[in-house]
């Protein structure tokens, strides 16, 4: 017997329709490159997004499934492209503006991008790869003169009228967006999101106990739109009618704090390195900004130290929500919102849970596999996290050589080594490639890093494996001290000693001015391994 329910398509057009019809007066706010503010409404944004889609098809000749590359900061025109391309049957492909031109040329070519929409303020970067990428058209966004060989974004919108806009009913399994992995282990790999995946991900993200976004919120995503689908915020906010605030290129702590205070931001999101700078600014001037409306700072991209979570809450009354995900998971995988079980625990244990990666989001299932098979959910046994679900990638775009990332029964191998608590809380111990394998035992670099960053003198810490004749590998800590602070390697080892077995402690500590980072703000451990693998053994 079949259910007697309408065959309603779960797609991006349905998301936009709801935003326009129910929340047309709500705002989309952008800080422009000259630091002025631009304001528009959902009704205006929706109309412009539809006209953009029509112009891409009518004026530039794009057809269903064609890819539209974007190379932009977070702003209202980027949002129009984000939504307007898939609403018209095209595919939005965000390009990471922090990548090397060689990688950008490869990614755009591999994805088959026909059009590039790029910020004028980024044009020197565009020129470094545009010819090699083979775009048929390049569209320039923003104030100022339009570069040679490019179309102006506003002129393109003006080339069509409302009568050119076609309301299209798009199959929910059609492609809506693409995003490439950061390529830390080989060439970047493309993930293709369906309309259905985005629609269900959007519903789940809006739920209480997940990201809990509703019409009353004012959301400022610091996470770039090119980083793992902006963690779904553009779609979630549009569906729920939350005000969207975009920082443009102004991502320094002072500018972000000004925006939080001025716009009454209630929810923001970014990687730990962003929040490290914010916490320093607040500690230096705790009364400098009115953040009374800010109810949640979502942190993801890499593990957030418990000391950071506690610092924001204890010293500034700001709740930090720890989340985990990947490009391959659209990206939301789990959120560390405490359930009634964890809230009944003593405060210290609650903070320990808050620093874990949390329980899986609805429609995401988890398990972990060790050398002997699936591991128990006992909070102790480590294994590689495997996931499946409504919005989890089933393969990479045009990359048959990567089929081994999926198990025979269809689960995705994440590459994250985890333990899983009996209550379902995930705690990432490390990336498989970053674990220190010392004397046949695993040492979690993430656990050591988070503990080191709990020392009052330490601003940032990264732990890497270095070769060792006796033990195969040993941990080395690379540390950035806070301005004006001092510490020795032995002091930091003593700080770690009460929490870890002696054989876990780093054999040496290297102090540096800066830890290199990837294009999405994670520690670039490959560079650290190259730099320190052959250094003389010493502890300072």
């Amino acid at each position: 017997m079949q259910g007697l329910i309408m065959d309603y398509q779960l797609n991006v057009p349905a998301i936009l329709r709801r935003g326009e019809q129910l929340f047309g007066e709500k705002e989309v706010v952008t800080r422009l490159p000259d630091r002025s503010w631009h304001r528009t409404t959902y009704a205006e944004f929706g109309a412009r997004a539809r006209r953009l889609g029509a112009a891409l098809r009518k004026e530039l000749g794009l057809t269903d499934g064609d890819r539209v590359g974007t190379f932009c900061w977070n702003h209202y025109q980027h949002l129009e492209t984000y939504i307007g391309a898939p609403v018209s049957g095209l595919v939005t492909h965000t390009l990471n503006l922090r990548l090397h031109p060689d990688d950008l040329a490869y990614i755009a070519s591999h994805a088959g991008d026909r059009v590039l929409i790029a910020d004028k303020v980024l044009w020197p970067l565009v020129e470094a790869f545009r010819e090699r990428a083979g775009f048929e058209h390049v569209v320039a966004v923003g104030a100022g003169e339009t570069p040679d060989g490019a179309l102006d974004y506003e002129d393109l919108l003006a080339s069509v009228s409302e009568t050119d806009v076609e309301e299209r009913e798009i199959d929910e399994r059609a492609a809506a967006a693409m995003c490439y992995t950061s390529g830390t282990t080989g060439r970047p790999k493309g993930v293709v999101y369906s309309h259905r995946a985005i629609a269900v991900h959007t519903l789940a993200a809006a739920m209480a106990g997940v990201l809990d976004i509703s019409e009353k919120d004012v959301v400022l995503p610091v996470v770039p739109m090119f980083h793992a689908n902006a963690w779904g915020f553009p779609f979630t906010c549009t569906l729920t009618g939350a005000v969207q605030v975009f920082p443009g290129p102004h991502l320094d702590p002072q500018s972000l704090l000004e925006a939080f205070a001025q716009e009454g931001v209630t929810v923001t999101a970014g990687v730990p390195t962003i929040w490290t700078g914010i916490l320093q600014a607040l500690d230096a001037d705790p009364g400098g900004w009115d953040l009374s409306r800010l109810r949640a700072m979502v942190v993801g991209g890499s593990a957030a130290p418990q000391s950071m979570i506690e610092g924001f809450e204890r010293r500034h009354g700001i709740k930090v929500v720890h989340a985990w995900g990947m490009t391959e998971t659209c990206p939301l995988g789990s959120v560390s919102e405490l359930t009634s079980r964890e809230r009944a625990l003593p405060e210290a244990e609650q903070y320990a849970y808050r620093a874990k990666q949390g329980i899986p989001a609805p429609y995401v299932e988890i398990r972990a596999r060790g050398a002997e098979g699936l591991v128990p959910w006992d909070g102790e046994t480590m294994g590689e996290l495997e996931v499946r679900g409504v919005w989890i990638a089933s393969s990479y775009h045009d990359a048959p050589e990567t089929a081994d990332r999926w198990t025979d029964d269809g689960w995705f191998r994440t590459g994250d080594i985890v333990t899983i608590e009996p209550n379902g809380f995930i705690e990432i111990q490390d990336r498989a490639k970053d674990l220190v394998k010392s004397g046949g035992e695993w040492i979690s670099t993430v656990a050591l890093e988070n503990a080191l960053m709990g020392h009052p003198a330490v601003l940032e810490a990264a732990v890497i494996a270095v070769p060792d004749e006796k033990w195969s590998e040993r941990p080395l800590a690379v540390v950035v001290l806070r301005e004006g602070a001092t510490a020795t390697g032995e002091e930091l080892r003593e700080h770690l000693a009460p929490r870890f077995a002696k054989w876990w402690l780093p054999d040496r500590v290297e102090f540096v001015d800066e830890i290199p980072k990837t294009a999405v703000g994670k520690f670039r451990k490959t560079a650290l391994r190259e730099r320190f693998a052959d250094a003389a053994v010493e502890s300072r």
Side-chain angles (χ1 to χ4, degrees):
M1 183 177 183
Q2 296 290 308
L4 302 177
I5 301 297
M6 290 182 180
D7 190 15
Y8 182 93
Q9 297 299 305
L10 300 172
N11 56 27
V12 178
I15 293 174
L16 180 58
R17 285 196 301 270
R18 189 173 196 271
E20 289 176 303
Q21 294 169 0
L22 301 183
F23 311 110
E25 77 288 355
K26 300 299 287 292
E27 281 193 317
V28 177
V29 184
T30 299
R31 197 166 206 178
L32 300 175
D34 66 0
R35 304 190 70 83
S36 65
W37 293 88
H38 177 277
R39 296 177 184 275
T40 187
T41 66
Y42 268 43
E44 294 164 341
F45 140 64
R48 283 170 56 89
R50 293 176 188 281
R51 281 172 52 202
L52 175 65
L56 290 169
R57 296 181 72 99
K58 180 183 177 184
E59 300 298 316
L60 303 189
L62 272 60
T63 59
D64 286 358
D66 282 342
R67 269 75 77 195
V68 179
T70 68
F71 196 72
C72 301
W73 293 107
N74 289 12
H75 52 62
Y76 72 99
Q77 290 136 317
H78 200 177
L79 180 67
E80 291 164 3
T81 308
Y82 231 73
I83 303 290
V87 161
S88 64
L90 308 175
V91 180
T92 303
H93 174 210
T94 53
L95 290 163
N96 186 332
L97 55 89
R98 296 178 182 135
L99 290 179
H100 190 278
D102 291 347
D103 288 328
L104 289 165
Y106 166 80
I107 289 170
S109 299
H110 187 264
D113 293 347
R114 291 187 61 188
V115 173
L116 177 69
I117 296 178
D119 283 347
K120 292 176 182 177
V121 295
L122 297 171
W123 216 256
L125 301 179
V126 173
E127 293 289 3
F129 73 93
R130 64 177 286 192
E131 293 299 329
R132 287 180 288 163
F135 303 112
E136 297 174 28
H137 304 279
V138 180
V139 181
V141 177
E145 291 188 15
T146 302
D148 290 342
L151 303 170
D152 185 82
Y153 181 88
E154 294 300 329
D155 289 346
L156 180 62
L157 259 66
S159 69
V160 296
S161 65
E162 295 298 328
T163 59
D164 295 311
V165 175
E166 179 186 359
E167 185 72 32
R168 309 190 73 246
E169 192 56 76
I170 298 169
D171 187 291
E172 64 182 31
R173 297 187 182 274
M178 290 184 75
C179 190
Y180 273 67
T181 66
S182 54
T184 54
T185 55
R187 283 288 199 182
K189 296 175 283 292
V191 179
V192 182
Y193 308 113
S194 67
H195 283 260
R196 176 175 180 263
I198 289 173
V200 182
H201 182 280
T202 298
L203 283 170
M207 287 176 56
V210 189
L211 298 182
D212 191 15
I213 305 298
S214 70
E215 180 274 337
K216 65 180 180 293
D217 282 309
V218 178
V219 179
L220 189 156
V222 183
V223 54
M225 287 182 166
F226 59 72
H227 182 191
N229 234 16
W231 302 356
F233 281 105
F235 301 109
T236 304
C237 292
T238 301
L239 182 79
T240 61
V243 171
Q244 300 185 59
V245 180
F246 294 115
H250 308 293
L251 303 180
D252 59 285
Q254 179 79 22
S255 296
L256 290 173
L257 286 164
E258 287 174 358
F260 295 161
Q262 175 182 302
E263 300 301 320
V265 170
T266 61
V267 177
T268 183
V271 297
T273 49
I274 289 288
W275 302 138
T276 297
I278 294 287
L279 184 57
Q280 281 186 290
L282 290 176
D283 285 343
D285 185 10
W289 299 272
D290 178 7
L291 304 184
S292 57
R293 294 200 63 202
L294 187 58
R295 65 174 181 82
M297 299 176 74
V298 182
V299 58
S302 56
Q306 184 174 332
S307 58
M308 174 192 291
I309 296 171
E310 291 194 44
F312 272 111
E313 297 199 25
R314 292 185 186 278
R315 299 198 293 274
H316 305 290
I318 299 173
K319 179 183 178 182
V320 176
V321 178
H322 206 188
W324 168 85
M326 307 174 70
T327 304
E328 295 89 341
T329 64
C330 199
L332 190 61
S334 65
V335 179
S336 195
E337 278 284 10
L338 304 189
T339 71
S340 55
R341 293 168 304 204
E342 294 79 43
R343 288 194 295 271
L345 297 171
E347 185 179 58
E349 293 182 45
Q350 290 187 40
Y351 275 119
Y353 269 107
R354 298 274 302 285
K356 300 180 192 293
Q357 279 63 44
I359 61 174
Y363 303 116
V364 174
E365 296 184 56
I366 60 170
R367 67 188 189 188
R369 187 183 302 275
E372 305 300 321
L374 297 179
V375 303
W377 290 19
D378 58 8
E380 298 178 359
T381 309
M382 286 194 281
E384 181 182 7
L385 181 64
E386 297 175 355
V387 297
R388 69 175 181 180
V390 175
W391 55 75
I392 310 300
S394 60
S395 65
Y396 292 117
H397 172 63
D398 193 20
E401 72 280 4
T402 61
D404 61 353
R405 288 296 301 273
W406 285 264
T407 65
D408 290 341
D409 57 348
W411 293 62
F412 175 65
R413 296 185 171 112
T414 66
D416 283 324
I417 303 302
V418 305
T419 55
I420 304 176
E421 299 278 346
N423 58 8
F425 264 73
I426 304 164
E427 182 172 15
I428 292 179
Q429 304 298 324
D430 228 324
R431 292 291 291 170
K433 59 185 172 61
D434 291 333
L435 275 171
V436 180
K437 303 171 183 68
S438 182
E441 299 288 343
W442 284 352
I443 297 174
S444 166
T445 65
V446 172
L448 290 172
E449 289 162 0
N450 288 346
L452 284 166
M453 285 188 276
H455 189 284
V458 175
L459 178 63
E460 293 182 333
V463 176
I464 59 171
V466 293
D468 184 89
E469 289 186 7
K470 181 177 182 181
W471 303 109
S472 179
E473 291 180 342
R474 291 294 299 149
L476 176 145
V478 183
V479 170
V480 178
L481 294 176
R482 297 183 182 277
E483 187 175 354
T486 60
T488 65
E490 191 54 41
E491 287 173 355
L492 296 182
R493 283 168 52 85
E494 290 174 1
H495 171 73
L496 296 175
R499 310 179 209 189
F500 301 101
K502 185 176 181 180
W503 58 272
W504 271 54
L505 302 184
D507 286 345
R508 64 188 212 260
V509 177
E510 297 282 351
F511 294 94
V512 298
D513 294 330
E514 183 180 11
I515 295 175
K517 297 178 180 65
T518 69
V520 293
K522 300 179 183 180
F523 294 145
R524 190 152 56 88
K525 293 191 176 183
T526 52
L528 294 177
R529 284 192 283 266
E530 290 172 4
R531 178 176 174 182
F532 292 112
D534 298 323
V537 175
E538 61 176 317
S539 179
R540 295 189 289 175

